[in-house]
Amino acid sequence: MTEVIAVAVITILAVISPGADFAMVVRNSYLYGRTTGLLAAAGVAAGVLVHVTYTMLGVGLLIASSTSLFTAIKLVGAAYLVYIGIRTFRTRGDLELDLESKPELSPLGALRTGFLTNALNPKTTLFVVSTFTQVVGPGTPVAQQLGYGLFMSVAHFGWFGLVALLFSNSRLRTAMLRRQKALNRGIGSVLVGLGVTLGLAR
């Protein structure tokens, strides 16, 4: 029971902490609508499972102990955030709100942005590895560890699904689209800033 409570508390605090996942879901939701935002949230949740999988297989311990390997993952994730941030910053501010037209971001593209943002995020790496190594004991059954991993993924989808619903609300979305140039620059700057910060962090 102590393990369950600890995993739940750590997960909830990690999920609601603003970061790259939040910025990415907000971006997709207000630019392309609810479905795209929810798909991005699903991509984030799938990305969490990547971290859970390699942690359970023991790769997480290798990353934690290998400076070069962790640095490589960190730099790849940072570069991706900077790339998406620059693209968002440079997005034109004249997107029309036409629900009948073909979306500019495909469902696969929406899933991919959420997935890569999370899967390449060193913050999530540290969160999952530290949770499993500090909270889960050597005697914890594999099925129980799988349960923890699924909870982490579902918690991410639940929170970012709510974020997508909020920022794709018709009134809020319309107001945001009127100011999309400034919003694109704001969110793009945040993503670039996060990428640079993660890339320079030791």
Side-chain angles (χ1 to χ4, degrees):
M1 182 60 67
T2 302
E3 280 186 10
V4 174
I5 295 175
V7 171
V9 171
I10 293 174
T11 299
I12 292 172
L13 290 177
V15 170
I16 65 177
S17 176
D21 293 335
F22 182 85
M24 186 64 67
V25 173
V26 168
R27 169 188 179 272
N28 284 356
S29 299
Y30 96 80
L31 278 180
Y32 306 114
R34 179 175 301 174
T35 299
T36 302
L38 289 172
L39 286 171
V44 169
V48 173
L49 293 178
V50 172
H51 299 287
V52 171
T53 300
Y54 67 63
T55 299
M56 289 187 63
L57 292 175
V59 179
L61 294 176
L62 175 61
I63 292 176
S65 61
S66 174
T67 303
S68 59
L69 181 56
F70 179 75
T71 299
I73 293 176
K74 180 179 69 173
L75 292 177
V76 171
Y80 178 75
L81 289 178
V82 171
Y83 168 72
I84 292 296
I86 292 174
R87 285 191 58 186
T88 301
F89 189 92
R90 297 178 61 184
T91 299
R92 296 190 308 167
D94 57 356
L95 181 67
E96 296 181 359
L97 186 59
D98 182 4
L99 300 180
E100 298 300 322
S101 64
K102 183 178 180 180
E104 295 187 19
L105 189 64
S106 67
L108 181 60
L111 278 169
R112 184 172 59 248
T113 57
F115 176 79
L116 291 178
T117 298
N118 186 275
L120 297 175
N121 190 348
K123 176 184 174 183
T124 309
T125 297
L126 292 174
F127 155 61
V128 176
V129 172
S130 62
T131 299
F132 271 80
T133 56
Q134 300 299 320
V135 177
V136 177
T140 304
V142 173
Q144 191 170 339
Q145 294 185 44
L146 283 172
Y148 293 155
L150 289 175
F151 173 77
M152 292 175 183
S153 178
V154 171
H156 276 74
F157 179 72
W159 170 252
F160 291 114
L162 289 176
V163 170
L165 292 176
L166 172 63
F167 283 91
S168 62
N169 176 272
S170 57
R171 291 184 179 180
L172 179 58
R173 184 183 182 215
T174 300
M176 294 177 75
L177 285 171
R178 292 196 187 107
R179 301 170 179 81
Q180 62 184 285
K181 188 173 182 179
L183 288 167
N184 286 342
R185 290 182 175 179
I187 293 177
S189 297
V190 170
L191 288 170
V192 171
L194 286 168
V196 172
T197 300
L198 290 171
L200 297 177
R202 294 182 179 180

